[in-house]
Each structure stands twice: as structure tokens, then as C-alpha cells.
Amino acid sequence: MAEHTRSSITIAATPAEVMAVIADFAAYPAWTGEVKEIEVLESAGNGRATQVRLLLDAGAIRDEHVLAYTWDDDREVSWTLVKSQMLRALDGSYTLMPVGGGTEVTYQLAVDVKIPMLGMIKRKAEKVIIDRALAGLKKRVEG
């Protein structure tokens, strides 16, 4: 990933428990505000999705895109954009690290939109997306 935004949060659960929530794409509309519809297009032999279609509605931004996922056991999942109407690139990852009695989750994201946008505004948007996702993930796993 070239320019990216990154943030971390600690969740009171094992990496396997956290990754199970991340891998449960069908439940995304229940805990991620922007994901309205999701469809797993392809899965690996282990049952984890390798290609997913998402319909996002974040108010002013509504887009449908397809992401390709790569899994490293319960340590990391990364994704890259396959197709989108509004985005040129969407690369991200969740990295999970056991700490004390929980898991530190680091979310890294790089977005490139097809419309011109100042880098500072883009980084701020990435930060909002990351912080909302981490808070939602923590609430979902610990709830």
C-alpha cells in the first residue's frame, strides 16, 4: 500500500474470535453502518471468502464494489479492489496481535477515488472509516 491510514484498538477476545467476526460477511450490515448489502462471490477451501460484493451507502457516497480477500490464518486479512464505480483503489488489512488478555487489531486502509480529492480530505475520510469499523468490530466481538 502506498499512502495509507492506520489505527489500532484492543478487543477483549482471542485473535480467532475477532477473525471469526471479520470473516462473517453476512453479518456486516448488522454492525457496519455503511454496508447495506453483501454477497460472497467466491470462497476458499477453508470456507473463508476470497471475493465479496458490497453495496455501501455512506450518505453522499453510494457505491457497489467487489473486493478480493487474502487470509493469513487468524493473524491477518487483506483486501484489494477488483471493481467499483467510484473508486480507483481500495486496499486494506486487519492485522491481529495477541496482547495481554485480548487482541490488538490494526486496520490499515488506502483509498483512491476516481474524482479529484485533496490528500488531506482523503486521509480524514479514511480515518473516519477506520475508526467506525474498529469501534463496530469491538462492540460486535465484545457484545
Side-chain angles (χ1 to χ4, degrees), residues 74-120:
D74 291 330
R75 290 179 291 276
E76 182 177 59
V77 58
S78 58
W79 56 90
T80 189
L81 185 69
V82 175
K83 73 176 186 175
S84 168
Q85 288 143 7
M86 296 184 73
L87 303 177
R88 195 175 284 124
L90 176 65
D91 298 321
S93 67
Y94 281 112
T95 304
L96 282 55
M97 185 73 78
V99 292
T103 302
E104 182 182 61
V105 180
T106 301
Y107 185 170
Q108 184 168 294
L109 185 65
V111 179
D112 190 14
V113 292
K114 291 180 179 176
I115 57 171
M117 184 181 284
L118 291 173
M120 183 178 73

Side-chain angles (χ1 to χ4, degrees), residues 44-56:
N46 62 5
R48 287 192 169 160
T50 54
Q51 200 164 96
V52 177
R53 181 187 65 82
L54 301 99
L55 176 63
L56 300 174

Side-chain angles (χ1 to χ4, degrees), residues 20-143:
V21 170
I22 293 169
D24 183 10
F25 288 102
Y28 274 39
W31 65 271
T32 64
E34 292 82 20
V35 177
K36 301 303 178 193
E37 193 179 296
I38 198 149
E39 177 187 6
V40 173
L41 302 174
E42 295 176 13
S43 294
N46 62 5
R48 287 192 169 160
T50 54
Q51 200 164 96
V52 177
R53 181 187 65 82
L54 301 99
L55 176 63
L56 300 174
D57 189 349
I61 299 174
R62 183 176 166 89
D63 192 23
E64 179 177 318
H65 50 259
V66 175
L67 300 176
Y69 286 83
T70 304
W71 303 86
D72 180 8
D73 196 30
D74 291 330
R75 290 179 291 276
E76 182 177 59
V77 58
S78 58
W79 56 90
T80 189
L81 185 69
V82 175
K83 73 176 186 175
S84 168
Q85 288 143 7
M86 296 184 73
L87 303 177
R88 195 175 284 124
L90 176 65
D91 298 321
S93 67
Y94 281 112
T95 304
L96 282 55
M97 185 73 78
V99 292
T103 302
E104 182 182 61
V105 180
T106 301
Y107 185 170
Q108 184 168 294
L109 185 65
V111 179
D112 190 14
V113 292
K114 291 180 179 176
I115 57 171
M117 184 181 284
L118 291 173
M120 183 178 73
I121 294 171
K122 191 165 60 168
R123 295 282 95 69
K124 182 157 178 62
E126 289 172 353
K127 179 79 169 127
V128 168
I129 291 167
I130 288 171
D131 289 347
R132 277 193 197 154
L134 287 173
L137 179 62
K138 181 178 177 74
K139 185 176 179 183
R140 180 75 176 187
V141 173
E142 293 180 354

